[in-house]
Amino acid sequence: MIDAQDYAEFARFLSECCGLVLGENRQYLVASRLSRLLGEFGYGKVEDLLRALRQSSNPTLKSRVIDAMTTNETSWFRDGYPFEILRQILLPELEARKKPIRIWSAACSSGQEPYSIAMVISEWEASFPPKTSPVSILATDLSESVLAEARVGLYDGLSIVRGLTPERRQKYFDTVENGHRIKPDIQRRVRFQKLNLMDSYAMLGKFDIIFCRNVLIYFSAETKRRIFDGLARQMDPGGYLFVGASESVSSYTDAFEIVRTPLGSLLRRRS
């Protein structure tokens, strides 16, 4: 069992480097997530790995530990309504401005969200040509390993069925020996980049739409305030933000107002 001091110091490490809050009595979770790294780094016990993490400046060890502790639960077209709002409301509205449209998928995990966005854009462009406003998608995540998976765009039989209709599976994927690979015309619509949400976003530029869904529930209230303020700075007034269905921003920032549509709700940057 991880002792109280090792656990407290590891919880502090996670909070400081990536904002994740472990809470109390999660020693079993830590041990189960990190046990797979023991052989990779040559440690006999999780406690040894934690002490090495505290004493070492090895960036690979730090990165692999963060990867192991980060929850990368995702699916295609998760919750459905954000993608319908994007297709039916936001893209036509932004197209009318006749300038490039920029979309950011934050905490994108293994790519299902940004690729779902890319599919929606592809379908929208096909349904209502011609288009005068090119759309770019930036997808970011803290984890090097999930970004590597996302860039490859190869998905196994279990992950490919979560949220995808048979029609979209056939249209947007090629069946290969090891699973299903996203087709190049969808893949090249997305640019992947490593980014820690605890860091500055200023170098990313401004966005018209930001997806930051189902990730901030793991952060402290102080960190949520910092992140929401950072997201607000990356969009002009009138820009749109999607958060998770169970997430709220009202306790952390007044930079956004709720927009209710027949398809569901989203947030808009105040003027």
Side-chain angles (χ1 to χ4, degrees):
M1 175 63 69
I2 301 170
D3 68 34
Q5 181 179 354
D6 284 342
Y7 181 75
E9 291 183 357
F10 181 63
R12 187 160 49 250
F13 160 78
L14 274 187
S15 177
E16 290 174 354
C17 73
C18 57
L20 296 182
V21 177
L22 275 179
E24 298 181 359
N25 302 316
R26 307 298 298 277
Q27 286 91 333
Y28 175 78
L29 172 68
V30 173
S32 63
R33 293 277 180 91
L34 298 184
S35 60
R36 70 194 75 172
L37 300 182
L38 298 181
E40 180 179 339
F41 288 95
Y43 297 109
K45 299 183 297 183
V46 170
E47 293 89 333
D48 298 332
L49 187 150
L50 292 179
R51 289 170 189 144
L53 181 68
R54 185 166 68 244
Q55 298 164 5
S56 171
S57 59
N58 183 343
T60 302
L61 175 61
K62 177 180 176 180
S63 177
R64 295 288 286 115
V65 167
I66 292 172
D67 280 1
M69 292 304 303
T70 303
T71 300
N72 292 307
E73 175 67 21
T74 187
S75 61
W76 304 95
F77 295 90
R78 187 171 182 176
D79 297 327
Y81 73 89
F83 303 95
E84 284 304 306
I85 291 174
L86 174 65
R87 182 175 65 86
Q88 297 187 38
I89 299 174
L90 301 190
L91 288 173
E93 175 187 314
L94 294 171
E95 161 73 7
R97 301 178 187 178
K98 299 189 184 306
K99 65 176 186 177
I101 299 169
R102 299 193 72 222
I103 301 175
W104 176 17
S105 170
C108 69
S109 189
S110 48
Q112 282 90 330
E113 180 177 87
Y115 284 141
S116 295
I117 294 169
M119 293 177 201
V120 168
I121 293 168
S122 177
E123 292 165 358
W124 172 70
E125 290 176 345
S127 298
F128 303 99
K131 294 290 175 286
T132 59
S133 304
V135 184
S136 63
I137 306 167
L138 173 68
T140 67
D141 201 276
L142 171 67
S143 169
E144 293 275 18
S145 62
V146 297
L147 285 173
E149 292 178 31
R151 290 187 182 102
V152 171
L154 179 64
Y155 300 92
D156 62 24
L158 180 61
S159 62
I160 198 69
V161 299
R162 298 189 61 196
L164 274 179
T165 62
E167 292 78 15
R168 279 179 168 149
R169 289 201 300 271
Q170 182 176 10
K171 183 176 182 179
Y172 296 117
F173 293 83
D174 292 318
T175 301
V176 296
E177 182 178 355
N178 297 323
H180 306 269
R181 188 184 300 277
I182 196 85
K183 289 193 173 181
D185 61 321
I186 296 298
Q187 190 175 33
R188 60 175 163 257
R189 288 176 179 267
V190 183
R191 180 170 67 88
F192 292 96
Q193 178 178 326
K194 183 177 179 181
L195 179 76
N196 188 336
L197 287 174
M198 299 285 285
D199 296 338
S200 170
Y201 318 144
M203 77 294 293
L204 301 181
K206 299 281 189 176
F207 294 91
D208 302 286
I209 304 168
I210 298 176
F211 285 71
C212 187
R213 310 185 64 235
N214 305 298
V215 61
L216 299 185
I217 55 175
Y218 304 107
F219 293 169
S220 69
E222 179 183 353
T223 302
K224 288 177 183 178
R225 280 191 287 272
R226 187 193 315 171
I227 291 174
F228 281 129
D229 287 343
L231 296 177
R233 286 192 294 270
Q234 296 313 123
M235 53 175 61
D236 292 323
Y240 293 100
L241 172 65
F242 288 102
V243 296
S246 62
E247 294 175 312
S248 170
V249 306
S250 59
S251 300
Y252 310 107
T253 181
D254 59 1
F256 297 95
E257 59 185 352
I258 298 175
V259 177
R260 292 181 171 86
T261 80
L263 300 169
S265 298
L266 70 162
L267 299 165
R268 181 168 55 204
R269 179 74 163 88
R270 295 182 189 273
S271 301

